[in-house]
Amino acid sequence: MSLIALSIIIPVYNVEKYVDDCLKSIYSQGVDEHLFEVVLVDDGSTDESASIIKPYTEIHTNCTLLTQSNHGLSVARNQGLEYSKGRYVWFVDSDDWIAEGALQYAIDFTSDDSCSVMSTHLSWRFADSTQDRIDGIRLFDGKEIDSASYLLYSTSSATPRFIIKRKLLVDNKLQFLPGVLHEDSE
């Protein structure tokens, strides 16, 4: 069994304005770095994203930067999943940040091996205004996931909302479909 509880998989493409805030939100929480890993997949960025990430990989032994030519968000997420070693995965977007205390909460969740998916809170903030939307936390077992009605018809099926048992994805060969707009829903 993997000692790493959680893999945070972050696709990166021309996000030099945001990726540092994303990584700061993860590493400022004081969570034991042996319990989680951060897998960033640079999808052929042409800006300074990789040079912003590089110091994190040098300071934090649980932070890895993979690179690929530009194939899109789905392929980047799939590569991150293939590389990851955590019992659970959390696909976080590079322009997102994790609220204080959320990482420890997620790590604590991973100790309950009976759950397949955790639905998390989300807040959206936009440059020109602020809109917060918070959904309740809900845990799902395999049978509930199979019906998928909650996931398909929830107010937000955005990928960063869910922490998923890696074994569920790998054993069922569940991947993001390349070339699909709004691959989160797929």
Side-chain angles (χ1 to χ4, degrees):
M1 178 177 6
S2 173
L3 297 177
I4 299 173
L6 181 66
S7 295
I8 301 171
I9 299 170
I10 305 172
V12 173
Y13 182 74
N14 291 345
V15 289
E16 65 184 11
K17 293 180 183 178
Y18 310 105
V19 72
D20 189 51
D21 287 338
C22 178
L23 291 169
K24 280 181 186 173
S25 77
I26 294 168
Y27 285 107
S28 68
Q29 298 202 23
V31 174
D32 181 345
E33 293 184 13
H34 293 97
L35 297 175
F36 71 98
E37 68 176 343
V38 176
V39 180
L40 296 112
V41 182
D42 186 346
D43 187 39
S45 293
T46 58
D47 67 358
E48 294 301 313
S49 295
S51 62
I52 293 167
I53 294 166
K54 190 173 184 339
Y56 286 92
T57 64
E58 293 169 350
I59 294 168
H60 304 282
T61 58
N62 68 337
C63 186
T64 302
L65 175 62
L66 307 175
T67 58
Q68 65 182 33
S69 58
N70 183 249
H71 292 294
L73 183 59
S74 295
V75 175
R77 284 184 173 153
N78 292 339
Q79 183 179 356
L81 177 62
E82 184 177 323
Y83 180 87
S84 68
K85 298 169 188 73
R87 289 180 39 244
Y88 287 82
V89 295
W90 191 359
F91 296 98
V92 173
D93 290 338
S94 50
D95 61 349
D96 292 344
W97 65 93
I98 298 174
E100 184 64 36
L103 183 54
Q104 185 62 58
Y105 190 87
I107 297 290
D108 292 346
F109 154 75
T110 65
S111 66
D112 181 358
D113 201 47
S114 68
C115 292
S116 297
V117 175
M118 178 177 130
S119 171
T120 65
H121 293 285
L122 281 183
S123 294
W124 285 274
R125 287 185 171 71
F126 303 97
D128 57 349
S129 66
T130 300
Q131 174 188 353
D132 289 333
R133 183 153 116 203
I134 299 175
D135 298 321
I137 292 178
R138 183 165 174 197
L139 303 178
F140 298 91
D141 65 22
K143 290 179 185 175
E144 290 172 313
I145 292 301
D146 190 42
S147 69
S149 62
Y150 179 82
L151 299 178
L152 294 173
Y153 303 110
S154 65
T155 56
S156 172
S157 59
T159 300
R161 181 176 180 193
F162 303 103
I163 297 172
I164 307 165
K165 188 179 285 188
R166 185 178 184 282
K167 183 174 175 27
L168 175 77
L169 297 173
V170 172
D171 287 356
N172 292 289
K173 297 179 176 58
L174 298 174
Q175 293 191 332
F176 294 93
L177 298 175
V180 175
L181 189 60
H182 301 294
E183 80 296 331
D184 294 57
S185 297
E186 283 294 325

